Amino acid sequence: MSILRPPLPALLASLLCGALLAGPSTAFAAEADEGVETARTSRPVAPGVRLESYDRLESDRWLRVDELVVDLAAPGGVRAEYLGGRGAETLAQAVAHHPAGPGRRVVAAVNGDFFDIRGTGAPLGPGVRGGRLLHSASPGPGGGAAVGFAPDGSGRVLRLGLTGSITLPGGAVRVPAGYNAALPPAEGFAVYTADWPGSVLPDTGPAVELRDDRVAVAAPVPVLRRPARRDRPAPGTTLLVAAGAAAAELAALRFGEPVTVTAAPMPESGPAPLAAVGGREALVVAGVPQNHDGEPNDTAAPRTAVGLSRDGLSLRLVTVDGRMRASGGLTLTGLGRMMHRLGSHQALNLDGGGSSTLLAALSGATAPILENTPSDGRPRPVPNGLALTAPMGSGRLTGYRVEAAAGAGRLFPGLTRTLTATGHDSALGPAPGTPSWSAEGAGRIGPDGVLRGSRPGPVTVRARTERPGARPAESRPAEGSLALEVLGPLTRIRPTRDRIGLADRTESAGFDLTGYDAQGRAATVEPGDTVLRYDRSRWRVAPDGRGGFTVRALVARATGRLRVNVPATGATAELALGAGLDALPLADLEDAARWKGAGATAAPGEGRPGTGIALTVSAGAPTATAAAPRPIPLPDQARSVSLRVGADGSGARPAVHLTDGDGAGLTLRGPAADWSGLRRITLPLPATAEPPLRLTGLSATHEGGGPSRLLLDTLTAETPPTGAAPTVTLPPDPVVSTPAGVRARPWRFAVSPDGRAPGAGVDFVLAGVDGRPGFSHRGVRFVPLDGRRRTLDAGGGLDRMRVLAEALTAAAREPGTGAVAVVQRYAPGVVDRNEAALLTRRLAEFRRATGKRAALFTLDAPRFTAARTEGVPTVTVGRAGRTLIGVDAFAAGEWLAILPGPATAR
């Protein structure tokens, strides 16, 4: 940041030059390779179980982590148990029918083993419930790896093999090669029972059915029965199959002959576990995080892991979200380092990707709820998992969990916030109760739990129930409380979505309404405080029961506007609505010759004049690509991308390549083109895709490696017809002032891109930011943030957040500092939206915690703007003209007065 200034006393000059900000503290240095935590919440789930949820900024990704911290030491306390075994189902469905046992309940769960996702749906590793083997591991990379739990509750990572016997007529004994295994063995006997955990039995070939330890099916030699693929063996029935040399022994079996089968888990050492679920890669071994660099599964992805302390009595179940802007997932190596950092002496990788799911109970809830964000946009059906069970409580009311609608802890004067009180017992289990409500502070509450703000300030709400007749130890009233804040008067509202597009009448979409006070502090506005105006013959808009709204279309195709008004304040907002899908053109590929890549050529289009792109693959080059001459923007409301595919029946798979608003890649993979001729295919955009999206290329892949040719043509995006988003005009921010207002401040500085020397009465000029040191001047600490690296480019965002943290820490303890001014250059695409939100949140936290001021200046922008977020002025200064800023770091009211130059004024 260049600073041009007139001659000043030496002391002031040294302040303006400013020493570099102090070097990293020990805490920051220790965290340098691991990133920094940006937010955390914690809550009890049950006695001995706590949920920690937090966000992190790493050098190359954002992470969102949910972690169950479990104490397994208490006798009769929390236990980890095998969950599932009925075929693929969501974790919530598996929890609903889990046999937790008398006096126990499921309080949390995570998904478990890798599974045969494109075949039987069965787990690939071993599974044990109540000491009984449910299924053995299939041959493959897991090698029988599992996490197991002993009768005393302690856990360990181990390998589980299979032991047992198959006693044939005449006394010959064979060892089973598989027991309810997803993949039948290539040699020996395999057994399938009613404990089969998959959705579809494997194609095992001939099978003999056993009941009561005897052959139950007889037929001419060979005595064989091939079960239907979807048959699950009935209770008491065993299917015996064989491969290799064992097939002849199977064929020799006759009706009524005795055959007995036993099977049990066989650990490589130590006793067999009471419960176990399979996994795959070891993440931490004997306190050492493992290096998986270069292995096939060592890519950044959503993850689930289990970790244990040295004594096996402290358990951690962790999910890391991935494949989304808010969380990029972890590699295996990175996951191992994280589990080690969390204190795991041993840790195992469970299934990840779209399977990663974590549920945890709320106090008083009857079932655990979803906590993480699955990358498929919804929970994926999985075959098994780990459930945490805990003793049920007494069911006698001891307290309330008090919550606000939409989790909002704020409201506005004259507006409402709906509260709920859920009763719980001493074990945090459900307990019935009807509370009386009271409020202290800046609001009043009715008997229905609806709080109304009366003036700005804090308000504490209590739900309370007297307990007459309770035992002396429980004579205290059952109560719960929630602290909220009433903000300043509502000045404007804005919906969380400015356009809602629906494909048809079966779909729905939701939005919340956010209100702002004059300081830019935000809170949700509930439906009960609004009046809606829209065409009720075409649309239905209703409260969603969570503080927001749900929109549905009543006709197959429509456009319209939804107007929202808050009568108590006169604030209004508008949304654009659309139903139905239009095929909007993206590329006709008449410029096919400009799409460059290996195996790509321009070719005559099929079924129409013009050209398309031919992608040719072969055994030596199984992938062909065509990069777009320039990125092609998709409509913001796009639901899918369609293209015409001319195929030769060889089974090559087309794909469309996109980037999101932060430049992250996204691939839409088409079906295997096993047809001949021309066909249009439609590739849905995943629910987690975050616009703006741009199409960057096309490709074709043939997994078999054989020669293949696809002709791709005429790309469209299926998009609801919402039209343009409503325009929003913000009122001028109070920092925008007049020449007299600027002159009235104790001192002034200027922002000028050409670095012209300051005029009379101006202390200095700011021009340039990158690579400049921070400095302090007359009560203001200036903090330049280097914008030469993107947020996730070699730690660009991480370094900026460290610089900011050091500066805020220093400013907080300096009596002579009354304000912090963060300065950055206008660089679209460098700072992603997560970093931008974190920056303003950190400044707002500094302001609230210290009572000092903070502002954010962005230089060299296309035009001047001024607004504020959570009381922090955010000012972008135009690249033309000179902007004057008057400053009083210790003013009682506004501390800035800004006069935009003539060429930059709004």
Side-chain angles (χ1 to χ4, degrees):
M1 179 165 50
S2 300
I3 306 171
L4 305 180
R5 53 193 180 272
L8 295 169
L11 177 59
L12 181 56
S14 66
L15 287 172
L16 285 175
C17 291
L20 287 171
L21 295 176
S25 66
T26 303
F28 276 107
E31 232 179 349
D33 294 332
E34 302 293 346
V36 294
E37 191 173 295
T38 63
R40 177 181 287 263
T41 60
S42 178
R43 77 161 196 263
V45 174
V49 184
R50 186 177 76 255
L51 174 67
E52 300 285 341
S53 299
Y54 47 94
D55 297 334
R56 291 181 63 85
L57 171 59
E58 307 286 333
S59 63
D60 60 348
R61 73 198 69 203
W62 294 90
L63 290 179
R64 182 175 293 163
V65 183
D66 291 285
E67 175 190 359
L68 289 163
V69 183
V70 187
D71 180 6
L72 299 173
V78 183
R79 290 201 300 251
E81 301 178 3
Y82 182 98
L83 175 67
R86 295 161 51 103
E89 56 188 349
T90 67
L91 215 58
Q93 291 170 331
V95 164
H97 51 68
H98 178 70
R104 300 186 68 82
R105 64 189 181 101
V106 178
V107 296
V110 297
N111 67 288
D113 198 1
F114 290 77
F115 61 101
D116 184 19
I117 191 170
R118 292 184 177 85
T120 64
L124 294 172
V128 178
R129 176 191 286 142
R132 182 167 61 89
L133 180 68
L134 300 178
H135 51 88
S136 64
S138 295
V147 57
F149 298 89
D152 68 355
S154 62
R156 62 183 171 126
V157 175
L158 72 166
R159 291 194 179 274
L160 278 179
L162 170 64
T163 186
S165 63
I166 299 173
T167 304
L168 301 172
V173 178
R174 303 289 182 257
V175 176
Y179 187 83
N180 285 327
L183 307 178
E187 179 69 40
F189 286 95
V191 178
Y192 293 90
T193 73
D195 287 328
W196 166 247
S199 301
V200 177
L201 281 171
D203 188 3
T204 58
V208 165
E209 191 174 284
L210 309 176
R211 295 194 198 104
D212 299 325
D213 296 332
R214 291 188 177 275
V215 177
V217 175
V221 177
V223 186
L224 303 173
R225 176 175 179 266
R226 186 186 185 99
R229 275 182 58 84
R230 294 190 179 274
D231 281 355
R232 175 188 296 273
T237 298
T238 299
L239 294 181
L240 190 64
V241 301
E249 292 182 300
L250 183 75
L253 296 177
R254 296 292 183 272
F255 174 77
E257 289 184 323
V259 179
T260 59
V261 177
T262 65
M266 183 176 66
E268 57 186 351
S269 63
L274 182 69
V277 70
R280 186 166 290 181
E281 296 88 356
L283 301 173
V284 182
V285 176
V288 179
Q290 302 299 290
N291 186 346
H292 293 277
D293 291 353
E295 295 181 13
N297 195 27
D298 194 43
T299 57
R303 297 288 181 182
T304 303
V306 53
L308 290 153
S309 59
R310 184 188 294 268
D311 62 7
L313 295 176
S314 179
L315 168 69
R316 294 178 187 272
L317 300 175
V318 177
T319 57
V320 182
D321 290 343
R323 298 173 184 163
M324 60 189 71
R325 175 180 286 131
S327 189
L330 279 176
T331 63
L332 286 174
T333 300
L335 183 63
R337 290 173 182 165
M338 188 183 79
M339 296 301 292
H340 179 259
R341 187 175 67 245
L342 294 175
S344 295
H345 185 72
Q346 49 187 325
L348 180 69
N349 181 48
L350 303 181
D351 191 14
S355 299
S356 285
T357 312
L358 184 146
L359 309 181
L362 294 163
S363 299
T366 57
I369 63 170
L370 180 66
E371 292 292 343
N372 75 315
T373 304
S375 63
D376 289 351
R378 60 187 181 279
R380 172 187 288 176
V382 295
N384 65 7
L386 275 174
L388 298 179
T389 69
M392 289 183 178
S394 64
R396 292 189 294 271
L397 183 68
T398 62
Y400 287 101
R401 169 171 51 88
V402 180
E403 289 184 309
R410 293 168 159 184
L411 67 160
F412 296 98
L415 303 189
T416 61
R417 183 66 67 233
T418 302
L419 305 177
T420 58
T422 304
H424 62 79
D425 60 21
S426 59
L428 304 183
T434 302
S436 59
W437 293 93
S438 63
E440 299 174 3
R444 61 186 186 276
I445 192 167
D448 56 355
V450 176
L451 174 70
R452 185 173 296 275
S454 50
R455 66 182 185 279
V459 57
T460 299
V461 172
R462 287 185 172 82
R464 178 186 177 100
T465 296
E466 299 292 341
R467 297 191 295 165
R471 293 180 297 182
E474 299 177 343
S475 60
R476 191 176 55 170
E479 65 177 27
S481 63
L482 182 67
L484 301 98
E485 181 185 9
V486 181
L487 303 178
L490 179 72
T491 60
R492 62 185 179 95
I493 57 174
R494 183 172 183 178
T496 50
R497 302 171 64 173
D498 55 13
R499 288 185 286 179
I500 288 182
L502 304 174
D504 52 42
R505 285 176 289 182
T506 66
E507 277 196 350
S508 65
F511 71 94
D512 293 340
L513 192 63
T514 304
Y516 300 87
D517 67 9
Q519 290 295 319
R521 294 183 297 173
T524 299
V525 176
E526 292 192 22
D529 291 323
T530 68
V531 173
L532 307 180
R533 293 182 176 86
Y534 59 94
D535 185 345
R536 283 172 165 75
S537 69
R538 292 170 172 252
W539 310 96
R540 182 176 183 271
V541 185
D544 62 8
R546 300 182 299 275
F549 302 82
T550 299
V551 180
R552 291 183 181 275
L554 302 179
V555 295
R557 183 175 181 82
T559 60
R561 286 288 196 266
L562 168 63
R563 293 173 177 83
V564 186
N565 174 257
V566 181
T569 66
T572 62
E574 190 174 275
L575 293 82
L577 306 178
L581 292 176
D582 291 334
L584 302 183
L586 292 177
D588 58 11
L589 299 186
E590 289 306 298
D591 61 347
R594 300 178 60 199
W595 291 62
K596 302 297 184 182
T601 57
E606 290 190 17
R608 72 169 185 88
T611 60
I613 294 176
L615 296 177
T616 304
V617 299
S618 63
T623 300
T625 61
R630 68 182 64 84
I632 301 171
L634 269 65
D636 286 346
Q637 297 290 311
R639 309 298 293 276
S640 59
V641 174
S642 293
L643 66 159
R644 300 201 310 170
V645 179
D648 58 6
S650 61
R653 189 181 297 271
V656 175
H657 301 275
L658 312 170
T659 59
D660 68 11
D662 291 328
L666 172 66
T667 300
L668 308 180
R669 301 190 186 280
D674 53 4
W675 62 88
S676 295
L678 193 64
R679 182 179 297 180
R680 177 167 287 278
I681 64 170
T682 298
L683 310 178
L685 291 167
T688 53
E690 299 185 65
L693 301 176
R694 290 174 170 79
L695 191 152
T696 59
L698 306 169
S699 69
T701 304
H702 198 300
E703 296 177 358
S708 181
R709 180 181 184 273
L710 296 182
L711 179 68
L712 308 183
D713 198 357
T714 315
L715 285 87
T716 61
E718 285 65 45
T719 309
T722 59
T727 57
V728 178
T729 302
L730 300 180
D733 191 86
V735 298
V736 179
S737 188
T738 62
V742 173
R743 288 194 301 269
R745 302 288 167 162
W747 65 276
R748 288 151 295 285
F749 69 95
V751 177
S752 178
D754 59 12
R756 288 184 298 156
V762 177
D763 288 20
F764 59 84
V765 174
L766 294 182
V769 176
D770 294 337
R772 306 297 183 178
F775 67 97
S776 294
H777 181 61
R778 298 181 69 171
V780 181
R781 177 179 277 266
F782 286 83
V783 185
L785 297 181
D786 196 321
R788 289 175 292 188
R789 284 178 295 156
R790 292 167 61 93
T791 297
L792 304 180
D793 177 16
L798 192 58
D799 286 346
R800 286 189 288 271
M801 288 302 104
R802 289 198 180 110
V803 168
L804 177 67
E806 290 289 331
L808 295 182
T809 300
R813 63 172 178 252
E814 293 170 346
T817 296
V820 168
V822 174
V823 186
Q824 62 184 4
R825 69 180 175 90
Y826 178 77
V830 171
V831 175
D832 70 22
R833 67 184 67 181
N834 289 337
E835 184 186 349
L838 178 60
L839 171 58
T840 54
R841 189 168 78 239
R842 287 287 188 257
L843 294 178
E845 290 167 351
F846 168 82
R847 179 177 177 270
R848 286 194 297 268
T850 66
K852 299 184 179 186
R853 313 304 182 83
L856 173 63
F857 292 93
T858 301
L859 310 187
D860 302 329
R863 64 184 184 279
F864 176 88
T865 63
R868 65 185 61 208
T869 302
E870 296 296 319
V872 176
T874 56
V875 181
T876 61
V877 181
R879 61 175 61 103
R882 188 171 72 149
T883 298
L884 296 179
I885 298 125
V887 185
D888 183 352
F890 302 98
E894 290 291 342
W895 68 284
L896 294 173
I898 302 177
L899 179 65
T904 65
R906 291 184 61 177

